[in-house]
Amino acid sequence: MKFAVVVFPGSNCDRDMYFAAKDALGAEAELVWYQEAELADYDAVLLPGGFSYGDYLRSGAIAATEPIVAQIRSAAEAGKPILGVCNGFQVLLEMGLLPGAMLSNKHLKFMCHYETLIVENADTLFTNEYEEKEEINIPIAHGDGNYYCDEATLQQLKQNRQIAFTYKTNPNGSVGDIAGIVNEKGNVLGMMPHPERAVEELLGNADGLRLFQSILTHWRNRHAINA
């Protein structure tokens, strides 16, 4: 399995994402510059955190207008796993691949610490290595992480089981305590916490590694069936 880590001007978690996929998970991975990327050759696309284009206009708004967006959309339509973390989540929202929008944290302060997440749906290609309702510890680092959607969209997310993770203690005001959601098809995940920063016990926590292992497990099962 081969991962593409898309790098925009202002990405600053791309190396962490690359390390998680290549070194911690042991899969093939490449950093791809957004203007030169050809995503058709990759099995999964990772959109890292950071501040693409300095978060001018809105977080992720400018990155979501780049030509590479058409390739990301094609990969999503083909059923490939698309993971957007923090700024990557914001880009997916701006692209319209996921519903809702991102607001500033309720206390208008940048937050950087561990949060306890609850795995709300362990039956996705991103969460199959977790247990339903399992509590995991994943770091957050954001100023605009207050997820918002209207009531009708929230009910739709619940009915379709599109809420992958919630916060045990909501740090930023996100509606429904939401920390991460998937699209209706289940192959696009956006989340504000950083699983790529929690992939080694040496660093104090490996709870995030199972998210990447889930993607790999899904890919192996899918290709074994199709072989």
Side-chain angles (χ1 to χ4, degrees):
M1 182 176 193
K2 191 173 182 180
F3 290 85
V5 181
V6 179
V7 182
F8 291 103
S11 298
N12 66 9
C13 300
D14 42 344
R15 300 284 173 176
D16 295 328
M17 195 73 91
Y18 175 81
F19 175 84
K22 185 172 179 61
D23 297 298
L25 183 64
E28 287 188 70
E30 292 183 355
L31 295 165
V32 293
W33 183 239
Y34 75 111
Q35 289 178 316
E36 302 169 351
E38 175 50 66
L39 299 180
D41 295 335
Y42 296 92
D43 302 301
V45 178
L46 307 177
L47 303 178
F51 303 90
S52 58
Y53 293 93
D55 279 352
Y56 290 120
L57 299 182
R58 292 185 307 277
S59 301
I62 298 178
T65 66
E66 292 293 348
I68 192 174
V69 163
Q71 292 193 58
I72 297 171
R73 201 178 300 281
S74 294
E77 290 172 355
K80 293 182 180 180
I82 311 292
L83 169 62
V85 170
C86 198
N87 192 235
F89 186 11
Q90 294 159 346
V91 173
L92 292 173
L93 293 172
E94 292 287 341
M95 287 175 58
L97 280 184
L98 293 172
M102 205 62 73
L103 306 176
S104 297
N105 295 343
K106 63 180 179 181
H107 296 305
L108 304 180
K109 294 181 179 179
F110 186 89
M111 298 178 176
C112 185
H113 57 256
Y114 271 92
E115 280 289 338
T116 299
L117 307 185
I118 300 171
V119 180
E120 297 292 345
N121 184 353
D123 192 27
T124 79
L125 69 89
F126 302 98
T127 56
N128 59 63
E129 295 288 339
Y130 296 107
E131 299 293 331
E132 196 94 353
K133 296 298 181 182
E134 181 179 354
E135 295 186 6
I136 59 175
N137 293 312
I138 303 290
I140 64 169
H142 57 247
D144 296 332
N146 182 355
Y147 176 76
Y148 172 79
C149 65
D150 60 27
E151 182 62 25
T153 302
L154 178 60
Q155 292 307 315
Q156 187 175 20
L157 291 173
K158 290 180 178 178
Q159 290 169 9
N160 294 339
R161 302 200 71 211
Q162 290 177 247
I163 300 174
F165 301 105
T166 57
Y167 297 107
K168 185 175 183 180
T169 304
N170 193 334
N172 51 32
S174 292
V175 65
D177 302 326
I178 286 174
I181 58 173
V182 295
N183 63 345
E184 287 191 48
K185 197 173 180 178
N187 66 310
V188 178
L189 169 65
M191 61 187 296
M192 288 310 295
H194 289 262
E196 79 281 6
R197 296 185 183 179
V199 294
E200 278 198 325
E201 294 292 353
L202 182 64
L203 299 176
N205 189 327
D207 283 354
L209 180 59
R210 281 183 285 160
L211 189 149
F212 296 95
Q213 290 172 332
S214 295
I215 300 173
L216 185 58
T217 296
H218 169 80
W219 184 85
R220 285 173 171 167
N221 291 340
R222 183 176 180 182
H223 283 75
I225 291 173
N226 294 332

